[in-house]
Structures are given as structure tokens and as C-alpha cells.
Amino acid sequence: MTKPTTGDFTKTPGWLDWYTGPSKPRFKLPAGAVDAHCHVFGPGALFPYAPERKYTPCDASKEQLFALRDHLGFDKNVIVQATCHGADNRALVDALIAAKGKARGVATVKRGVTDAEIQAMHDAGVRGVRFNFVKRLVDFTPKDELMEIASRIAKWGWHVVIYFEAVDLPELWDFFTALPTTIVVDHMGRPDVSLPVSGPQFALFQKFMREHHNVWSKVSCPERLSVTGPKALNGEQNAYADVIPFAKAIVEEFPNRVLWGTDWPHPNLKDHMPDDGLLVDFIPHIASTPELQYQLLVDNPNRLYWNS
Ligand code: 0GY
């Protein structure tokens, strides 16, 4: 793949470039597999980063994303609006149109969004909005504004993607459980994987999914959640071994409400940048049978994103 650039912007100090030579995965993805969490960044010279952003990424264009899709063996992508583009969805919509049906999108919108703007995004392939509660990424948005947006987009059959830290789930519980749409949680609600998988923090997340059948989870981002890190897969330990029990528990209890994505180009990573091929090789450790793999990678994302 071509090297990352930074357009007209200077990337945040310490930010690692995405990996340009991903390995070919040993795990063969089933036909029709979807990378259900990835981003496009800019390029900044064409699609400037938002003034309110908390970081400046390196560019990660639609062409580079589609090359990765083909290299890894995915059929389609779900492209998620990242905070560095704020509520300016032009780069996302541009990528969706260029994908010619092989990508769907999750946008960020503000209260003032018009029906015509929602319809135009729907026509391009947007099927959800993202509400971000991770404090290092966004400024606070009042809950009544988010609830109003959720009620509006529900009419298009869209869902709400939520991104939060596990410690914040108790405080956000009432708001999340009042949302009128399907809800998709990013990265299992970011559990602290140094705590026991059977402990109260993760139990609350499991209760959230158990009691609310409209809640789905992405079992993605082991590289972001792991404390043990990227040990070799053929060594003593698997890569991101400490994340496996958490993701496996969610896949096995809720096989028809889980999604998986690479998270390319991996915003905000400063310690190590994952090889996307090795991330794909992580999948059979959390979805251990062909049936679970099919639900996670093919059936669930196609049902949620390509049903209209
Ligand atoms: C992710 C994770 C992160 C960033 C964003 O929108 C974003 O900026 O989601 C993060 O820094 O944890 O899923 O891309």
C-alpha cells in the first residue's frame, strides 16, 4: 500500500502511521465477510479535518481502504465517521459513493440536520449515527439533543452506534436504554481487560446486552484494549491474549448481535500499530466455529447494513 501522508495538516505528535505492508491473513474469511468498523481520514487537502478535532490523523484515503479490503479478503466495509472530521461527513459520503454498494456508513450529525441531508446520506449508504462519549475524543453534547437526533433518524431505519468507556456505563445506562433504535456498541464498551472477565464491570455490560435485545456489540479493537499486547500468534501466547475471554464470551452468548472490524487506520495509537493481517488471524480465537464466524462476519453485518 502507498505510504500515509498528512495533507495540509500536521499530525498529532506521537501518532503512529498505519501499517503499509499488512500480512496476508492465514485465516480465510468466509465469502461475503464485512469489515464493520473502519474509517477514512481526509485526505486533509480534499476533506479538511474539523476545527473542533482533538487529534490530527495521517490521511487514510478511500482508495487505500479499498486496497486493504481486497488484500485481507473482505467483501465490504462499514465506514464509521471519526471524531477528527466532526459532523462534516463529506469524506465518508465520498467513500460510500465510490464503493458502489460495497460500503455502508455511520455518520455524525448535529441537531440542525435537515431531512433532505439525512435522505442524501441514506441514498449514499449511511445507515446509522454515532454518539461518542469518550471524553478524550469529544466535547459533551446534551442528552436531549442526542435523543432528538435518535428519534429523527429512526424514521429512516437507521441505528445508533455508541462509543464509551466501561467505567461510564452506569451513568449512561438510563440514556442508552431509552434510545428508540437498534444500538451498536463500539469495542464491547471498552472493558478494562486487566480486571476479571467474571467481575462486576464486564457483568454490567453483559447484563446490558442480555436485558436489551436491541443492543449489539462490535468485538473489535483487541489492539486498543489489550494490556499484554501483540505477542506472536505462534509463540507461547496469542496476540492480545487478555482480550480473548471477553470477546469470546460476547460472541458465544450473543452470536446474532455481534460485528467485527479492523478499525483501520487505527486512530490514536502511540505504542504499537497492528498488522491488519494478524488482526484477522485473531478472529478464530474469539469465534471458534465456522457457524460463529459466519454470523459474526457475514450474516449479522449484512442483516444490519444491507437490508435496504
Ligand atoms: C476508534 C477509536 C478511537 C477513535 C475514534 O472517532 C474517533 O476519533 O473512534 C479511539 O481513539 O479510541 O474506534 O476509531
Side-chain angles (χ1 to χ4, degrees), residues 15 37-39 41 55 80-85 108 130 132 134 136-138 163 165 186-187 190 218 220-221 224 263-269:
W15 171 291
H37 186 93
C38 50
H39 310 286
F41 293 151
Y55 63 84
V80 177
Q81 176 78 350
T83 55
C84 56
H85 277 296
T108 297
R130 191 180 196 208
N132 201 319
V134 177
R136 68 184 158 80
L137 291 173
V138 282
Y163 190 28
E165 310 263 1
D186 278 339
H187 322 326
R190 293 195 62 109
K218 293 177 195 165
S220 42
C221 271
R224 221 174 257 297
D263 193 33
W264 187 87
H266 311 287
N268 289 310
L269 289 188

Side-chain angles (χ1 to χ4, degrees), residues 83-161:
T83 55
C84 56
H85 277 296
D88 177 350
N89 297 289
R90 282 177 297 166
L92 169 69
V93 166
D94 173 69
L96 296 179
I97 291 168
K100 297 189 168 49
K102 283 196 166 284
R104 293 289 195 240
V106 174
T108 297
V109 300
K110 292 199 171 140
R111 181 177 245 156
V113 67
T114 65
D115 283 0
E117 285 165 340
I118 298 177
Q119 186 61 50
M121 285 191 277
H122 185 87
D123 293 343
V126 172
R127 293 294 181 269
V129 291
R130 191 180 196 208
F131 295 165
N132 201 319
F133 301 90
V134 177
K135 296 177 182 94
R136 68 184 158 80
L137 291 173
V138 282
D139 295 325
F140 175 78
T141 305
K143 304 260 187 353
D144 65 321
E145 177 169 345
L146 297 175
M147 193 55 83
E148 186 182 315
I149 291 168
S151 306
R152 299 258 324 273
I153 58 93
K155 291 182 217 133
W156 275 263
W158 290 12
H159 59 269
V160 174
V161 173

Side-chain angles (χ1 to χ4, degrees), residues 177-246:
T177 55
L179 286 167
T181 63
T182 294
I183 298 169
V184 178
V185 180
D186 278 339
H187 322 326
M188 300 181 283
R190 293 195 62 109
D192 178 347
V193 300
S194 66
L195 297 174
V197 67
S198 55
Q201 187 186 80
F202 200 56
L204 186 68
F205 182 66
Q206 289 167 305
K207 178 176 146 85
F208 182 40
M209 290 197 73
R210 209 171 281 145
E211 291 183 357
H212 299 279
H213 293 190
N214 61 329
V215 179
W216 294 43
S217 179
K218 293 177 195 165
V219 288
S220 42
C221 271
E223 74 286 4
R224 221 174 257 297
L225 303 177
S226 180
V227 179
T228 54
K231 303 260 168 65
L233 273 171
N234 53 2
E236 275 275 295
Q237 232 184 351
N238 292 318
Y240 317 119
D242 49 350
V243 181
I244 293 174
F246 292 81

